[in-house]
Amino acid sequence: MRTGLVLKYIGVVLLIDAAFMLLSAGISWLHGMDSGFTPLFLSSLLTAILGMFPILFVRRKEQINAKEGYCIVTGAWLLSCFVGTFPYLLYGGEFNLINAWFESVSGFTTTGSTILTDIEALPDGLLFWRSATHWIGGIGVVMFALAILPSLGKTKMTLYSVELSTLAKDNYRFQTKKIVYILLFIYMGMTAMVLVLLRMAGMDWFDAVNHAFSAISTGGFSTKNTSIAYFDNVWIEVILLVFTFISGLHFGLIYSTLTGSRNNLFRSEVARYYFLCTAAGVVIITLSLWLSGTYDSLASAIRYGLFQSITVLTTTGFATADTTLWTPLTTAILFFFTLQCACAGSTTGGIKCDRILLSFKVLRNRIRQQQHPNAVMRIKLDGVTQEESTINFAMLYIAVYFLFVILGTLINAACGVDFITALTASATCMGNVGPGFGEVGSMASFAAIPGVMKISSTALMLFGRLEIFGLIQFFMIKWWV
């Protein structure tokens, strides 16, 4: 493997990180040179040096192979999380080494969990950097690099193939170069729309930018200690739930729908399942909250039940209510949403609707096969016949996903937390969701949990964001043939 070539492309990603750090320092400067300026400016310089070093010394433009592609993508994610700790460590406060790593990983993986007990005490520059890590990580650190790099031929195709899962690529029926620009067009366009609408709904420009970054990346970092509950504004909640729900859809299908293509959201069975699953969950949660007396009126039950359902299903993690006080039935539905999440090809994490729907079809085919042993049955998803290898890999992914959740639960329980906290913290980190239940509920943070649990939680975040096998293969790279 050509290590220098791998580091060269990772260097481009680090330069993008440095640019956003510098932009964050600019925000600090505009807000009266607050205490975040120096940490952000120095971090930007250091990250830029780390990024420029391999670019200057590796001048050859060569095609990369699959092995090098995996190293570039995974290495870019890990090093972005690493340099992302620089501003936090230089700032100090609540950020020791473990806490800085947790906040950085949670940001880039768009998990949205935090170790902060007083978010509003942070200077504006650091608040902007937290949200920026969401926005970079939502579309993918490598996708940003692919958009600004010149034509790379097979290199761009290799990096794109590693970054996107097989199920996500099924609905991108364009050339690789066009796919990258489609992603950025939809991503940046929706961010701009949310920004303007939130400003019109009553947020100031700074809060609107930060929450737009978090909403479209389905991250969940807020500038307020009580998240969206701080604003107590129905219009803000409506804007956020609409756009976070849209962000849970396949971006390729969103583009196809806007351009009038036949391959659109209205013809997608995965999108239909996503809508129906959401509707069913919202109705059950709303009725449970209303009939149990958790909320006095049906309107309040709809308002809070709808928002929390969407924010968990889309892995955004914003909060308008303390869900730890809700009924056991609502907890069960939200936990299912935490495991499943939204669609492949979106900015969300979790198992994803596509694999859940595919597993239902595999189960149905298995039952039919027992009834008709000689029949040849094909499984289709959104009109695409699924290869046996794709089906087997999807089923393996679900099995390994649950294995990681169980392993995380055991580690958390060994750290001394209660079972509900241990289980939901593991599931929410693996799915990049944000809030769990118990000590890590929607109105709580990960500040008080043990250091070992914080480290294991960040490992789950990375495994979830890189869809498990990308990170596993990175650590087993020397055994590749």
Side-chain angles (χ1 to χ4, degrees):
M1 184 177 70
R2 296 162 294 181
T3 305
L5 197 61
V6 170
L7 292 176
K8 176 182 178 179
Y9 289 111
I10 293 177
V12 175
V13 174
L14 294 185
L15 290 179
I16 294 172
D17 296 333
F20 275 93
M21 287 179 188
L22 188 60
L23 178 60
S24 302
I27 298 294
S28 289
W29 180 74
L30 289 173
H31 288 77
M33 194 73 77
D34 63 34
S35 56
F37 176 80
T38 301
L40 286 163
F41 184 73
L42 292 177
S43 298
S44 176
L45 287 179
L46 180 56
T47 304
I49 292 171
L50 291 174
M52 284 297 297
F53 188 79
I55 293 175
L56 292 174
F57 289 92
V58 183
R59 298 186 179 276
R60 292 179 299 174
K61 294 182 179 179
E62 300 179 26
Q63 300 296 337
I64 62 172
N65 55 39
K67 181 178 181 180
E68 290 163 342
Y70 271 104
C71 285
I72 291 169
V73 171
T74 309
W77 276 99
L78 293 175
L79 283 177
S80 289
C81 292
F82 172 70
V83 300
T85 65
F86 293 170
Y88 302 134
L89 290 172
L90 291 174
Y91 175 75
E94 294 186 71
F95 294 111
N96 55 33
L97 183 59
I98 293 176
N99 285 350
W101 173 250
F102 185 97
E103 202 76 6
S104 180
V105 173
S106 181
F108 278 107
T109 59
T110 70
T111 304
S113 300
T114 183
I115 52 81
L116 294 171
T117 56
D118 189 1
I119 297 170
E120 295 171 42
L122 283 186
D124 289 341
L126 274 182
L127 287 173
F128 184 85
W129 169 243
R130 288 174 78 240
S131 301
T133 59
H134 269 351
W135 202 65
I136 299 168
I139 195 66
V141 293
V142 176
M143 285 298 178
F144 269 110
L146 291 180
I148 65 172
L149 286 171
S151 179
L152 297 176
K154 292 182 179 179
T155 294
K156 180 169 283 192
M157 186 177 295
T158 302
L159 292 176
Y160 154 77
S161 298
V162 173
E163 179 76 354
L164 251 62
S165 68
T166 304
L167 287 172
K169 283 180 281 192
D170 281 344
N171 282 305
Y172 284 120
R173 299 174 185 179
F174 310 99
Q175 293 181 346
T176 300
K177 183 178 180 180
K178 188 174 181 180
I179 292 170
V180 173
Y181 291 117
I182 286 172
L183 280 168
L184 285 178
F185 172 76
I186 297 296
Y187 196 65
M188 297 176 73
M190 289 202 299
T191 302
M193 290 176 65
V194 174
L195 167 61
V196 173
L197 290 172
L198 289 177
R199 180 69 185 91
M200 292 172 63
M203 278 191 185
D204 60 40
W205 283 112
F206 180 74
D207 285 337
V209 169
N210 281 274
H211 287 90
F213 280 4
S214 292
I216 301 306
S217 66
T218 60
F221 276 160
S222 176
T223 56
K224 307 300 180 185
N225 291 327
T226 53
S227 191
I228 305 304
Y230 170 88
F231 300 99
D232 193 22
N233 185 314
V234 174
W235 288 113
I236 288 175
E237 293 168 22
V238 169
I239 292 164
L240 290 175
L241 72 86
V242 167
F243 278 91
T244 53
F245 183 79
I246 293 173
S247 297
L249 292 163
H250 193 292
F251 277 29
L253 287 177
I254 295 174
Y255 179 82
S256 297
T257 305
L258 293 175
T259 55
S261 172
R262 287 179 57 82
N263 180 40
N264 57 49
L265 291 171
F266 303 104
R267 299 172 64 90
S268 168
E269 59 181 325
V270 174
R272 286 197 296 272
Y273 170 77
Y274 177 53
F275 278 95
L276 290 172
C277 180
T278 304
V282 168
V283 169
I284 294 171
I285 287 175
T286 298
L287 289 176
S288 180
L289 293 174
W290 181 44
L291 296 175
S292 66
T294 304
Y295 294 103
D296 295 332
S297 67
L298 179 60
S300 293
I302 293 173
R303 175 184 176 181
Y304 296 108
L306 177 61
F307 188 88
Q308 291 303 140
S309 297
I310 299 297
T311 199
V312 171
L313 179 64
T314 61
T315 75
T316 309
F318 287 142
T320 56
D322 187 353
T323 55
T324 59
L325 303 177
W326 287 8
T327 65
L329 178 58
T330 59
T331 300
I333 298 295
L334 290 176
F335 184 68
F336 171 72
F337 282 175
T338 298
L339 293 171
Q340 175 190 269
C341 303
C343 305
S346 68
T347 57
T348 65
I351 295 172
K352 296 189 175 65
C353 292
D354 309 61
R355 293 190 182 96
I356 296 296
L357 183 57
L358 187 60
S359 68
F360 290 154
K361 292 193 172 192
V362 169
L363 176 61
R364 182 190 63 186
N365 263 29
R366 180 59 183 168
I367 294 172
R368 289 179 175 177
Q369 196 75 55
Q370 287 183 317
Q371 297 171 341
H372 309 283
N374 298 322
V376 178
M377 299 179 182
R378 301 290 185 185
I379 296 178
K380 290 186 177 182
L381 198 63
D382 276 347
V384 178
T385 301
Q386 301 298 306
E387 299 291 337
E388 194 69 26
S389 59
T390 302
I391 296 171
N392 291 339
F393 185 79
M395 299 304 102
L396 176 64
Y397 183 91
I398 294 174
V400 176
Y401 189 96
F402 279 111
L403 182 63
F404 271 80
V405 171
I406 293 170
L407 180 60
T409 302
L410 293 174
I411 294 173
N412 295 344
C415 290
V417 299
D418 63 272
F419 177 71
I420 294 297
T421 300
L423 175 62
T424 59
S426 177
T428 197
C429 289
M430 189 67 191
N432 306 130
V433 177
F437 292 93
E439 296 177 33
V440 293
S442 57
M443 288 296 176
S445 74
F446 280 66
I449 67 173
V452 173
M453 184 172 166
K454 289 176 183 176
I455 294 172
S456 68
S457 295
T458 58
L460 290 175
M461 293 176 197
L462 287 166
F463 275 112
R465 183 59 183 82
L466 293 169
E467 299 222 322
I468 301 175
F469 295 101
L471 193 55
I472 290 176
Q473 290 182 95
F474 177 78
F475 289 113
M476 301 180 67
I477 209 78
K478 67 179 182 179
W479 287 290
W480 282 32
V481 177

